[in-house]
Amino acid sequence: MYRINDISLAPQGEKKIKWAKLNMPLLSDIEKEFIKTQPFRNLKVALSVHIEAKTACLCRLLKAAGAELYATGCNPLSTQDDVAAALAAGGINIFARHGVSEEEYERDLISVLEPGPNIVIDDGGDLAELLHRRMPELIESILGGCEETTTGINRLRSMKREGVLRYPVIKVNDAKCKYLFDNRYGTGQSVWDGINRTTNLVVAGKKVVVAGYGWCGKGIAMRAKGQGAIVYVTEVDPVKAIEAAMDGFHVLPMEQAAEIGDIFITATGCKDVITGPAFKKMKDGAIMCNAGHFNVEVDVETLEKLATEKQEQRPNIMGYKLEGGKWLYLLAQGRLVNLASGDGHPVEIMDMSFAIQALSAAYLAQRTDRLEPDLYPVPEEIDNDIAMRKLSAMGISIDFLTSDQRRYLDGWLT
Ligand code: NAD
Ligand code: SAH
């Protein structure tokens, strides 16, 4: 069962998946274990994650572990059609196409829910929203969900606060082995990969403004510095602002940064971070892009209204001419630049993130009791297990506490 753009692309997608798999030792090991233990036998899993090669490896693992899997994307622009074709050709139920409209995107989400899932794997909470708002009759059979990203957890937290959350969700994003690596090093590298390959411009010597100094912003700023940029940070959290300053970056409000920057990158999870007044102050040729969850961080609607002319410069670069004649450029329509204009995070990063997804989903599948509807941390054993597996894959050994040292650390007498 599938709804994709072009099945003839399958061989090309298969090559991408094979390369990813070669570099995903954690997921490969877990797959071998799960083929024996079949944790998802007789369970239906609905998944909404960016459909590209690394996600394909997670999909295949879930199927090999016994799941009846229904998969779709989590962003209208991040699906790679060749990968979706390879998954369809391999017998995975997939509903994902690159460049769909909002309506088609929602249709695909609904298609993965219609069979009535037992486990829901979400990246951003779109499946959770649809289930609660439009398909509540399906919630009864749900054992639980796993949420991949910061914004998804914020949305679920708000559902819990309002008393509407009806199934338990594991906060995969908040595992140490997720946000410390995926959000920081993954976003740090892949956002620049997206910008560099899309613009083909030099970064050294440019003034780069990073909005938001959370885990993603830290990674983006660090890699901007590494490429020789002069880095500016905007924040609303005073503590994060101090961190940015002590990490050696200029901290200032967006209003001031607007006049300075050559490249602007938002990573806040908030909305209206770069808006009309900033567009008016920006230099001719300024480039903007977004790395946060939704396409609302750069106020594209206002940009469209202010523009007297609009022209595509290169794939994924839209030029907007403003009154007075200056041009501003927006990458990937203001959607996540690393995924809409690149391959997303590097393979080994997604190996860790998806290993946590696989173990967390299996944890939900194998519980004999039913968890209350709430948000739950990834069990510490899983986080530590992933860390040890990753160290082993990297060929790194560490020390272990002796029982005497452990007693010393646990005690209070000197
Ligand atoms: P975070 O909570 O660690 O950081 C967000 C930061 O933005 C905070 O420090 C906050 O104070 C700041 N902020 C909020 N509103 C702001 C505003 N108006 N102006 C300036 N700063 C503001 O979150 P995170 O883990 O860094 O994630 C950030 C966003 O990126 C989320 O939407 C998340 O879902 C998304 N994300 C994207 C990718 C990707 O692949 N592109 C990966 C992981 C997370
Ligand atoms: N639904 C959102 C997606 C949030 S993107 C949207 O509207 O676009 C943020 C998440 O994407 C991160 O938490 C990260 O784990 C995930 N991600 C990054 N690169 C990826 C990749 N190559 N494949 C799959 N997921 C990826």
Side-chain angles (χ1 to χ4, degrees), residues 258 272-282 298-299 302-303 306 322 326 328:
D272 296 340
V273 181
I274 309 185
T275 55
F279 300 143
K280 288 183 183 157
K281 287 188 173 162
M282 281 180 184
V298 178
D299 181 2
T302 302
L303 188 58
L306 288 177
L322 266 55
K326 76 173 175 193
L328 301 180

Side-chain angles (χ1 to χ4, degrees), residues 110-136:
I110 290 172
S111 295
V112 303
L113 292 175
E114 273 167 349
N118 306 110
I119 291 180
V120 176
I121 298 180
D122 236 336
D123 181 342
D126 285 352
L127 291 179
E129 184 198 331
L130 267 179
L131 279 163
H132 285 81
R133 209 166 41 84
R134 304 248 306 266
M135 306 165 93

Side-chain angles (χ1 to χ4, degrees), residues 15 32 57 66 207 231 235 239 277 280 297 381 385 396:
K15 275 193 192 160
K32 278 186 210 133
C57 296
K207 297 188 172 101
V231 184
E235 248 302 340
V239 177
K280 288 183 183 157
E297 303 211 14
E381 311 84 75
D385 178 24
I396 297 173

Side-chain angles (χ1 to χ4, degrees), residues 16 25 105 124 135 157 234-235 274 287 294 329 359 365 405:
K16 286 187 181 173
Y105 173 70
M135 306 165 93
R157 207 174 273 131
T234 72
E235 248 302 340
I274 309 185
I287 294 170
F294 285 125
Y329 301 107
L359 294 185
Q405 284 173 321

Side-chain angles (χ1 to χ4, degrees), residues 149-151 183 187 214-216 235 240 269-270 291-293 336 338 345:
T149 200
T150 316
T151 288
N183 299 32
T187 313
W215 293 109
C216 293
E235 248 302 340
K240 303 272 178 58
C270 188
H293 187 77
L336 297 147
N338 57 331
H345 293 356

